[in-house]
Amino acid sequence: MLITIIAVIVVLGGLIFFHELGHFLMARVLGMGVSTFSLGFGPKILKHKWGKTEYAISLVPLGGYVALVGESDAADLPPGFSMSESFAMRPAWQRLLVIAAGPIANILLAWLLCWALAFGWGTPVLQPVIGDTMPDSPAARAGLVPGDRINAIDGIHIESWQAMSEAIGASDGRPLRLEVIRPEKGDDGKTGHESIVNLTITAEKSTRKTIFGEDETAWLIGVRAGNAISNRPEGFWAAASAGARQTWGMVVLTWQSFVKLAQRVVPLDQVGGPIMIAQMVGEQAHQGLAGLLALTALISINLGILNLLPVPVLDGGQIVFCLYEMIFRRPVPVKAQEYATRIGLVLLVGLMVLATFNDVWRLVK
């Protein structure tokens, strides 16, 4: 329990800190004043003033904030700050950069974590090893059996399950020549050596489920992956590139998840909140550092994408207001902003209540 608590505090605290640091650094680069940088809300437990900014750790650890000078009222200037440092007096494009810097910082953090994972542990690769074959499938008819490793398709070496799936998907129903490495068992029943088996297989157009449970049509041979995973070593700069690809893949998947949730493809009972996050962090903390870093990267991307949603109380809603001002050369009317903010607040609170209810219900079940 102690390890779980420490891991949750470090992970969530780190994500919140990095998000607010993005806002803070961009504001300072643009010469805007920052009166307070706080981790948490409510009464301040620890605080220290450095220059014009007060840095604090507050009682309620569910978030954080950067108090920009003149953010709510251009004329509201704390002692020591000038009108030129007021957030509200800056052009819309500068305010947009400050607002967007928080979510972007979360995505940047995810990339750094994926970079560290690729460099320290290598890139995980699911090997093209057959775990099972479907009855009366092209794979079963061709003679593929569990344990077979697809070494080449039409003379092209296959290094991963993804490469194998792409080659089969691009076959368009034409026969494929497979070079298969098959483990052979000795008299004692243990694997002794391997043999090369050449097979011809023709994929069939079939329906399968996507990660979101939707049906899609593809060329398939009727196999399931085994659990053979290897880590491919990466050099420093190659790890940066691999981390960027992995980060982008998670960004796309996370965005699709939000879209599918809005389309009701993903059921609402799949939405999780702080309790589920704490459980997942605790599990990964006990399993090892690599898994914990990977989960932290995923949560960081979710936090960044969530804040980019066009809901007025989130960063994404404020970005929409700035874009409106940049396009139409005038700010969104104050009344419209107020009504939109109220609606956004209701939506956000409703989402938090739903997520907490789902978390508690999962615990009860």
Side-chain angles (χ1 to χ4, degrees), residues 67-265:
L68 299 171
V69 172
E71 184 174 6
S72 55
D73 184 353
D76 183 16
L77 299 178
F81 291 97
S82 63
M83 185 64 72
S84 64
E85 296 175 285
S86 175
F87 173 81
M89 298 301 294
R90 294 304 183 91
W93 68 268
Q94 290 191 10
R95 285 182 274 126
L96 185 149
L97 288 177
V98 173
I99 295 166
I104 291 174
N106 282 124
I107 296 174
L108 175 62
L109 174 61
W111 173 53
L112 294 175
L113 292 173
C114 290
W115 185 350
L117 281 166
F119 182 65
W121 285 268
T123 302
V125 178
L126 180 61
Q127 298 297 305
V129 176
I130 306 301
D132 194 13
T133 59
M134 308 297 124
D136 196 33
S137 65
R141 293 194 297 269
L144 280 174
V145 297
D148 282 351
R149 176 191 176 93
I150 310 301
N151 188 55
I153 296 179
D154 287 342
I156 300 175
H157 181 61
I158 299 297
E159 295 184 349
S160 66
W161 186 270
Q162 181 179 354
M164 184 196 76
S165 298
E166 291 174 353
I168 294 171
S171 68
D172 201 26
R174 62 179 175 80
L176 299 172
R177 292 180 292 107
L178 271 60
E179 181 183 280
V180 178
I181 298 178
R182 177 168 295 172
E184 302 288 349
K185 292 184 178 180
D187 296 335
D188 58 358
K190 297 181 179 180
T191 301
H193 62 279
E194 297 173 334
S195 61
I196 302 295
V197 179
N198 293 299
L199 304 172
T200 300
I201 192 168
T202 303
E204 296 176 347
K205 186 167 284 190
S206 306
T207 300
R208 64 181 176 187
K209 294 289 185 182
T210 68
I211 190 174
F212 301 109
E214 296 177 294
D215 291 332
E216 70 173 4
T217 302
W219 292 101
L220 306 173
I221 61 172
V223 293
R224 293 194 183 98
N227 56 1
I229 298 177
S230 64
N231 288 321
R232 183 176 62 230
E234 303 281 6
F236 186 75
W237 295 114
S241 178
R245 289 193 300 271
Q246 186 174 2
T247 301
W248 178 248
M250 288 192 290
V251 167
V252 172
L253 182 61
T254 301
W255 176 254
Q256 289 177 340
S257 298
F258 280 109
V259 172
K260 298 299 182 184
L261 183 64
Q263 295 174 342
R264 301 299 301 275
V265 173

Side-chain angles (χ1 to χ4, degrees), residues 327-345:
I327 294 171
F328 295 101
R329 304 295 181 180
R330 62 178 183 275
V332 177
V334 175
K335 283 295 183 181
Q337 292 190 42
E338 291 177 354
Y339 287 127
T341 300
R342 291 172 186 173
I343 294 172
L345 184 60

